[in-house]
Amino acid sequence: MYPEWQKQPFYELHLAWLVQGPRGYDLLFKVNPYSLYKTREEALEAAKALLQKERLDQDPKVGPHKAPVLLSEEDRTRFLVLLESGKALLPLDRYALLGEIAPVEERLLHRAPFRDRSNVLHSLEGLPVRLLYTPLNDPEAEAQELAQGILRLTPEGLWVGETPLTIPPDTAIEGLAYEEAFFDLGEGHYYLYALSGSTPS
């Protein structure tokens, strides 16, 4: 197995605003996008950087929500002290700020040319997959399913079931090993994902 295909240990930082509901707190919105760090200290530093702002609004990459409560200097300090233990819940009126630094194991996106054996298509070879297509000039278009079946690779490209697709050697293949692969070819964006629920760890 190529090192790029293996799961690696990370620390994930979650920040979210909660609102008081009839049975306790409910999620109001998540603040930050999916954030992975190599160490707990890096995740904590990232949380500190986010909390330096007076408003802890939602990251624009995630959505347009605004913080329901402004954080005081004392709120920020208390929250960070709690977060150092791994999890923090700071009640603020009828809202609360939730933070967590959790150890996770994840595969990272890997990019390699088609002719490179470490490209993630090789991790999907022999698995049942779906092959989808979207025109590049119309990214909003609904993906068309081109084929479903066992993935076989050849020096010229791939077969999904009985459907062939020629891929030039320098085509960049991106994806997560054992899970998905995607690439652009000609006028289209192609996406394959594994149908089997069992993928190696």
Side-chain angles (χ1 to χ4, degrees):
M1 187 193 287
Y2 293 94
E4 300 91 339
W5 293 1
Q6 295 175 22
K7 285 188 174 179
Q8 300 169 43
F10 292 98
Y11 288 90
E12 186 176 358
L13 171 65
H14 299 276
L15 290 175
W17 281 106
L18 309 180
V19 62
Q20 185 78 51
R23 295 192 191 89
Y25 285 113
D26 296 318
L27 177 68
L28 187 62
F29 62 82
K30 291 181 181 176
V31 173
N32 60 325
Y34 184 65
S35 306
L36 296 177
Y37 302 92
K38 285 305 286 182
T39 65
R40 183 182 290 280
E41 290 69 31
E42 285 177 53
L44 198 56
E45 284 304 313
K48 282 180 185 170
L50 286 169
L51 285 158
Q52 278 175 354
K53 307 169 192 166
E54 188 183 28
R55 298 187 66 93
L56 192 57
D57 295 340
Q58 194 169 37
D59 186 295
K61 292 194 284 287
V62 183
H65 294 103
K66 300 294 179 192
V69 178
L70 294 184
L71 295 170
S72 68
E73 193 59 47
E74 188 186 338
D75 292 335
R76 285 193 279 274
T77 305
R78 276 176 54 216
F79 185 77
L80 285 168
V81 168
L82 292 168
L83 192 59
E84 280 176 9
S85 69
K87 194 162 186 175
L89 181 67
L90 182 67
L92 297 160
D93 300 326
R94 55 184 289 258
Y95 299 98
L97 183 59
L98 174 71
E100 187 175 9
I101 295 174
V104 293
E105 285 207 330
E106 298 283 351
R107 292 187 187 91
L108 294 182
L109 274 179
H110 178 52
R111 181 184 172 99
F114 178 68
R115 68 177 161 205
D116 185 328
R117 294 255 336 152
S118 79
N119 88 63
V120 294
L121 283 172
H122 287 277
S123 71
L124 295 167
E125 190 170 17
L127 296 178
V129 299
R130 280 182 79 192
L131 174 62
L132 305 175
Y133 169 85
T134 312
L136 281 176
N137 59 3
D138 189 5
E140 299 301 311
E142 199 149 319
Q144 275 176 268
E145 182 177 308
L146 298 182
Q148 193 170 139
I150 300 297
L151 175 66
R152 288 179 292 136
L153 298 177
T154 70
E156 295 76 39
L158 58 79
W159 289 74
V160 175
E162 299 306 308
T163 304
L165 182 64
T166 301
I167 304 177
D170 290 329
T171 304
I173 310 292
E174 281 188 85
L176 296 170
Y178 306 105
E179 295 175 38
E180 62 179 11
F182 42 91
F183 52 93
D184 295 336
L185 202 57
E187 298 298 310
H189 178 75
Y190 292 83
Y191 173 58
L192 288 105
Y193 68 89
L195 291 172
S196 58
S198 56
T199 57
S201 59

